[in-house]
Amino acid sequence: MNRQDEVRKLTGSRSVMEAHLPTNPGPIASLTPCGGGQCASVCAECRVRLYAVCAALDRDEINELERITQHIALPAKTALFHAGDAATSVYTVTSGTLRLQRDLADGRRQVIGFAIPGDFIGLAMDDHFGFSADSLTQVNLCRFDRQAFARLAHEKHGLMGRLHDFASHELGLAQEHMVVLGRRRAEERVAAFLLRWRERMARLTGASATLALPMGRQDIADHLGLTIETVSRTLARWMREKVILDVPDGIRILDQARLEETLAG
């Protein structure tokens, strides 16, 4: 069995970008099935468990969840799934960053978001994914069979409540993003993105002036409905004005008050 067939057998779909495999790819993704307590130490030591859907479960319920869990290690710049793929799985990100995007009919794309540790992927979806997800960095995930997860959620009221909280949070983020795209000037959009991203990172690593940006400026532009030139000019001006400082793999925010003033209009 070749590498592609092995991945297809384990995932049940053409995930991990089969159509774009390099000639000599090396490991595509390691998939470790759980069950029988094999992953107990993984779940017990998970650093994002308190932020994930499984935070609502007790130890016995976690053991039940483990029986339908696979742990996936996805290399950087690799697709987890494509728009149109059968939505047979749902996922929790445990490390790294995924880019979620939708290709438009005119050839452009809309980056609809970035998934980070603790985020759950698969809420409110049809039988096929309506967007694509690919890794900006090395990403680790918990993969759950969609039907098995739905049955477990139906049985465990705490898990169902947690999913409801996630859905409500995602709806709030979507509404907030609609305001950013529809009512904000360009520099306000960029300020909103940086402040919101810093807030999300602080939840995981604590407050820090240095902000890792695994996404590129084109990704930011496609997320904010701007051109890459506009995003680059805005960041360059803030660097000249000592609002931010360019550092490897990100920026350092020197004047948060200025960004907040920009966002306030």
Side-chain angles (χ1 to χ4, degrees):
M1 182 183 297
N2 63 30
R3 188 187 306 275
Q4 294 94 320
D5 290 338
E6 182 176 2
V7 172
R8 189 183 298 110
K9 180 179 178 182
L10 286 168
T11 61
S13 68
R14 57 184 184 88
S15 50
V16 281
M17 208 181 234
E18 289 182 12
H20 301 282
L21 293 176
T23 304
N24 184 22
I28 297 174
S30 64
L31 296 94
T32 306
C34 292
Q38 294 182 61
C39 299
S41 60
V42 176
C43 290
E45 297 173 6
C46 179
R47 290 180 292 177
V48 300
R49 180 178 168 185
L50 293 179
Y51 310 115
V53 293
C54 53
L57 303 180
D58 60 28
R59 180 64 262 176
D60 291 338
E61 291 170 334
I62 286 290
N63 289 337
E64 292 185 54
L65 185 64
E66 287 174 2
R67 297 189 185 102
I68 62 169
T69 303
Q70 286 181 321
H71 291 287
I72 301 178
L74 195 67
K77 299 181 180 179
T78 305
L80 177 64
F81 55 79
H82 301 277
D85 282 353
T88 57
S89 302
V90 293
Y91 305 87
T92 291
V93 181
T94 56
S95 70
T97 304
L98 286 170
R99 175 179 55 206
L100 313 178
Q101 66 182 49
R102 181 178 292 126
D103 293 327
L104 305 179
D106 60 4
R108 295 177 299 165
R109 66 168 185 169
Q110 174 68 52
V111 174
I112 59 179
F114 303 96
I116 62 173
D119 285 348
F120 184 78
I121 304 174
L123 283 173
M125 62 185 175
D126 297 322
D127 291 336
H128 295 81
F129 288 108
F131 58 92
S132 301
D134 61 288
S135 54
L136 295 175
T137 65
Q138 165 89 20
V139 173
N140 291 285
L141 310 101
C142 292
R143 173 189 180 271
F144 312 104
D145 176 83
R146 182 186 179 189
Q147 293 184 350
F149 187 87
R151 286 193 296 269
L152 185 63
H154 182 73
E155 296 170 1
K156 308 300 178 184
H157 296 291
L159 181 57
M160 183 62 76
R162 186 72 168 167
L163 288 172
H164 181 270
D165 290 343
F166 269 65
S168 298
H169 180 65
E170 285 192 4
L171 178 59
L173 291 179
Q175 292 172 337
E176 178 184 328
H177 192 58
M178 287 175 64
V179 172
V180 168
L181 293 182
R183 297 295 181 183
R184 298 288 188 180
R185 295 180 291 109
E187 66 174 10
E188 293 174 344
R189 297 185 196 185
V190 180
F193 173 78
L194 293 180
L195 291 172
R196 179 58 181 155
W197 187 251
R198 186 185 190 189
E199 180 183 321
R200 295 181 71 191
M201 292 297 102
R203 183 189 65 168
L204 299 173
T205 61
S208 173
T210 300
L211 185 62
L213 294 175
M215 70 291 293
R217 293 183 181 182
Q218 186 66 65
D219 295 324
I220 296 173
D222 289 345
H223 182 53
L224 298 177
L226 300 171
T227 65
I228 187 173
E229 291 81 10
T230 298
V231 171
S232 296
R233 282 197 303 269
T234 301
L235 294 177
R237 185 175 73 253
W238 286 343
M239 289 175 193
R240 292 194 303 270
E241 296 172 354
K242 308 300 186 206
V243 178
I244 61 175
L245 177 68
D246 193 25
V247 297
D249 301 321
I251 62 168
R252 182 170 299 150
I253 297 178
L254 304 177
D255 190 349
Q256 180 170 335
R258 170 70 182 278
L259 293 179
E260 291 172 344
E261 290 171 4
T262 299
L263 181 57

